[in-house]
């Protein structure tokens, strides 16, 4: 029996493979007779496939395959979080090439289309060789994508100016974006690029060749960047926000977060979460806890680390059960969508920002690395839906100030602006909306592939 066959190459770190699988599930639902082979490391597949099965049958035509993660036997993680990424990249693209041969042999089906994380520029070469379409997914914001596409031009323009205040006013819409807001790797010199920076640079060169570049975003969120990217790519498809178009199945609210939120007044609660990768340094957590206690705002804190090591017993005794709630995990999309939440303290990862917009909650930003500073700048200076914590790190007084600005001051106007953005997001994903139409274009590409 012959069938259309799509191979998917996932980047197995951070919040990359999960969103890619979400998109593939929607494609699999739209094309129940298409076979999808999903290639990632055993660890990544183990996590995302166990989380994602909500029994709606969308997995019938998606099958995970494990590729070599490149870690030496008995590898013990070092303090350098980039190390496993670099070890993995050393194996690519050979591990994917071999895995594809294996998958074709096992299924008896030639691969007719490649879908990859945008990081994997080499998927473009693989697709060329196989003479099949290449669809690439960028899981972060349109702005950061543009920076990688424009890296050479930016390096050239900024070469002569060492001032961190210099703005990127040579790019339309970028006059408030400063040199200091740029992700690492954009303004290094070519011969001092790390393997990961090389990957991003190369990606910027290759993506214009893709049959389509898809993004977890919606057109109306950043129209100026949209136009620039549309001019660069053959097809630029905004198929998000994924929280609305392909929400991951909800996990039970085991810690009673939503019930606790029900007991509070509208827009009064501070929700704190730094995602699944980052834990701020202990002195910042301590300063933040002091600020919470001193300002007296109710808070819900989703904290990944060991609570005993980071919080004093006194703080726990005085706040938890009364004004505060500390949990190891919270259903973030639903929490941000709850009317009681009035401020979101975040590291400014792209998924978190989309979730905050979806819930209409102003942000207090403490970015750490990668595109987080750029996202923060967009929140603060372009969309005006949040503030950066003073000096970029948590101090007691800076945090109190930020909390008061959002919960008692400017937060109200920010919520109005967020209301408009939220409405645009919901319109984009509705029937006939731009994200729905862009998704249908993607389905069209998959439907046209050769058997
Ligand atoms: C560098 O950038 C800053 C901020 O945009 C500007 O004030 C300054 O004139 C620039 N210097 C040069 C040498 O271009
Ligand atoms: C957010 O809440 C509204 C009701 O207040 C609901 O209609 C909507 O589906 C919720 N969105 C999400 C993503 O849960
Ligand atoms: C499926 C898989 O992981 N295949 C190969 C990945 O690449 C290394 C060599 O770079 C091979 O040893 C694996 O077999």
């Amino acid at each position: 029996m012959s069938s259309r066959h799509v191979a998917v190459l996932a980047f197995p770190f951070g919040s990359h493979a999960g969103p890619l699988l979400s998109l593939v599930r929607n494609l699999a639902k739209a094309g129940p007779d298409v076979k999808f082979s999903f290639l990632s490391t055993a660890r990544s597949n183990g996590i995302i496939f166990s989380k994602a099965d909500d029994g709606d049958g969308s997995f019938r035509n998606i099958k995970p395959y494990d590729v070599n993660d490149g870690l030496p036997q008995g590898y013990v993680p070092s303090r350098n979080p980039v190390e496993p990424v670099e070890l993995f990249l050393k194996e690519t693209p050979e591990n994917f090439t071999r895995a594809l041969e294996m998958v074709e042999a096992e299924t008896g089906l030639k691969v007719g289309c490649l879908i990859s994380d945008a990081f994997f520029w080499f998927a473009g070469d693989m697709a060329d060789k196989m003479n099949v379409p290449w669809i690439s997914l960028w899981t972060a914001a349109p702005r950061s994508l543009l920076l990688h596409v424009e890296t050479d031009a930016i390096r050239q323009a900024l070469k002569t100016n060492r001032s961190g205040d210099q703005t990127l006013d040579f790019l339309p819409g970028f006059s408030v974006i400063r040199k200091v807001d740029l992700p690492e790797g954009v303004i290094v010199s070519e011969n001092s690029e790390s393997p990961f920076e090389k990957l991003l640079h190369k990606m910027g060169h290759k993506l214009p060749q893709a049959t389509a570049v898809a993004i977890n975003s919606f057109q109306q969120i950043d129209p100026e960047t949209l136009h620039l990217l549309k001019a660069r790519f053959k097809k630029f498809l905004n198929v998000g926000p994924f929280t609305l178009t392909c929400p991951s199945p909800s996990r039970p609210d085991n810690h009673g977060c939503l019930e606790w939120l029900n007991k509070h007044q509208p827009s009064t609660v501070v929700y704190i979460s730094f995602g699944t990768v980052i834990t701020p340094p202990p002195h910042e957590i301590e300063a933040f806890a002091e600020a919470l206690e001193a300002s007296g705002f109710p808070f819900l804190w989703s904290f990944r680390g060991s609570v005993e090591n980071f919080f004093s017993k006194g703080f726990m005794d005085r706040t938890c059960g009364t004004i505060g709630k500390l949990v190891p995990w919270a259903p973030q999309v639903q929490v941000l969508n709850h009317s009681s939440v009035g401020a979101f303290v975040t590291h400014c990862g792209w998924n978190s920002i989309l979730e905050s917009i979806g819930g209409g909650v102003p942000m207090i930003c403490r970015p750490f690395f990668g595109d987080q500073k750029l996202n923060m700048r967009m929140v603060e200076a372009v969309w005006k839906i949040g503030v950066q914590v003073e000096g970029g790190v948590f101090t007691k007084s800076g945090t109190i100030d930020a909390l008061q600005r959002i919960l008692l001051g400017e937060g109200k106007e920010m919520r109005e602006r967020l209301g408009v953005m939220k409405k645009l997001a919901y319109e984009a994903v509705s029937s006939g909306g731009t994200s729905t139409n862009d998704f249908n274009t993607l389905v069209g590409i998959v439907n046209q592939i050769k058997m």
Side-chain angles (χ1 to χ4, degrees):
M1 194 195 76
S2 160
S3 167
R4 280 169 291 163
H5 182 197
V6 177
V8 186
L9 316 185
F11 182 74
F13 303 97
S15 315
H16 276 255
L20 181 58
L21 180 58
S22 300
L23 178 66
V24 168
R25 291 181 67 178
N26 274 10
L27 289 171
K29 279 185 220 165
D33 57 340
V34 183
K35 297 246 179 308
F36 292 85
S37 297
F38 194 95
L39 281 59
S40 192
T41 59
R43 182 170 180 277
S44 156
N45 276 337
I47 297 170
I48 61 175
F49 277 86
S50 70
K51 258 209 279 211
D53 194 357
D54 59 356
D56 71 348
S58 65
F59 280 108
R60 260 192 305 257
N61 49 335
I62 307 175
K63 190 169 172 197
Y65 289 90
D66 298 341
V67 299
N68 197 328
D69 59 13
L71 301 183
Q73 283 237 309
Y75 172 76
V76 182
S78 70
R79 296 180 66 87
N80 174 11
V82 184
E83 192 176 84
V85 180
E86 293 186 347
L87 288 168
F88 172 76
L89 290 178
K90 270 197 191 138
E91 290 296 291
T92 60
E94 288 75 20
N95 55 353
F96 281 118
T97 315
R98 299 244 199 112
L100 282 178
E101 286 164 7
M102 203 182 72
V103 168
E104 286 189 337
E106 190 194 292
T107 57
L109 299 170
K110 280 269 168 222
V111 169
C113 174
L114 274 189
I115 301 181
S116 81
D117 192 289
F119 285 170
F120 294 157
W121 56 267
F122 53 78
D125 292 345
M126 291 164 102
D128 264 357
K129 226 184 229 162
M130 298 156 79
N131 197 18
V132 302
W134 171 36
I135 298 167
S136 170
L137 173 68
W138 180 248
T139 55
R143 288 266 161 158
S144 51
L145 179 55
L146 186 72
L147 292 181
H148 296 303
V149 174
E150 293 291 332
T151 291
D152 292 330
I154 294 168
R155 285 182 185 174
Q156 195 57 38
L158 294 181
K159 208 154 65 185
T160 48
N161 199 329
R162 296 190 174 277
S163 144
D165 285 339
Q166 195 195 356
T167 65
L168 273 66
D169 43 17
F170 50 90
L171 285 175
F174 277 70
S175 58
V176 297
I177 305 296
R178 302 155 306 186
K179 205 166 162 180
V180 290
D181 302 319
L182 299 184
E184 299 88 352
V186 175
I187 46 176
V188 296
S189 76
E190 192 149 357
N191 47 27
S192 62
E193 286 174 341
S194 71
F196 191 64
E197 289 165 348
K198 272 200 182 68
L199 181 90
L200 292 171
H201 192 188
K202 198 85 191 241
M203 173 192 81
H205 289 169
K206 279 280 181 184
L207 282 181
Q209 295 171 25
T211 311
V213 177
I215 187 168
N216 176 12
S217 185
F218 57 103
Q219 293 192 6
Q220 297 75 7
I221 201 172
D222 191 353
E224 279 177 305
T225 309
L226 173 80
H227 290 306
L228 295 172
L229 287 169
K230 274 199 173 216
R232 294 273 173 239
F233 299 145
K234 290 185 189 159
K235 282 197 169 68
F236 181 51
L237 304 174
N238 285 249
V239 292
F242 285 1
T243 32
L244 303 182
T245 54
C246 37
S248 32
S250 49
R251 272 164 65 183
D253 177 21
N254 285 336
H255 305 285
C257 297
L258 300 174
E259 201 189 305
W260 186 83
L261 288 173
N262 286 341
K263 297 184 194 139
H264 290 86
Q265 298 299 314
S267 308
T268 56
V269 175
V270 187
Y271 169 61
I272 306 134
S273 170
F274 301 103
T276 52
V277 179
I278 296 157
T279 307
H283 67 273
E284 285 194 55
I285 293 196
E286 193 183 327
F288 196 92
E290 284 172 12
L292 276 176
E293 209 179 339
S295 59
F297 296 114
F299 67 88
L300 172 65
W301 195 330
S302 170
F303 188 78
R304 284 180 344 110
S306 119
V307 168
E308 303 77 45
N309 292 348
F310 281 90
F311 297 93
S312 73
K313 186 166 178 309
F315 170 77
M316 305 278 292
D317 288 347
R318 288 188 302 272
T319 59
C320 294
T322 52
I323 66 158
K325 190 170 172 67
L326 205 55
V327 296
W329 182 82
Q332 178 154 306
V333 173
Q334 286 89 333
V335 165
L336 287 169
N337 200 31
H338 194 288
S339 59
S340 299
V341 176
F344 177 26
V345 182
T346 172
H347 63 300
C348 290
W350 182 238
N351 291 330
S352 290
I353 289 180
L354 287 176
E355 286 162 12
S356 212
I357 291 172
V361 181
M363 284 161 264
I364 294 174
C365 304
R366 163 55 173 109
F368 289 83
F369 61 82
D371 59 353
Q372 296 163 6
K373 275 182 292 183
L374 177 69
N375 293 341
M376 178 278 290
R377 189 65 183 158
M378 293 295 292
V379 164
E380 172 190 68
V382 177
W383 298 314
K384 301 189 170 72
I385 53 174
V387 296
Q388 182 187 21
V389 69
E390 187 190 285
V393 295
F394 295 124
T395 60
K396 183 175 172 184
S397 66
T399 303
I400 292 176
D401 180 59
L403 289 170
Q404 288 178 342
R405 282 173 70 187
I406 296 293
L407 289 160
L408 307 174
E410 298 131 83
K412 189 160 171 291
E413 289 118 63
M414 290 179 184
R415 277 199 297 280
E416 282 163 15
R417 286 183 209 111
L418 279 155
V420 175
M421 293 176 83
K422 178 176 170 173
K423 188 157 167 277
L424 291 171
Y426 274 86
E427 277 168 13
V429 305
S430 65
S431 156
T434 51
S435 291
T436 310
N437 291 344
D438 277 3
F439 177 73
N440 290 338
T441 303
L442 208 55
V443 172
I445 296 172
V446 171
N447 281 341
Q448 278 164 22
I449 67 181
K450 292 175 291 195
M451 303 230 192

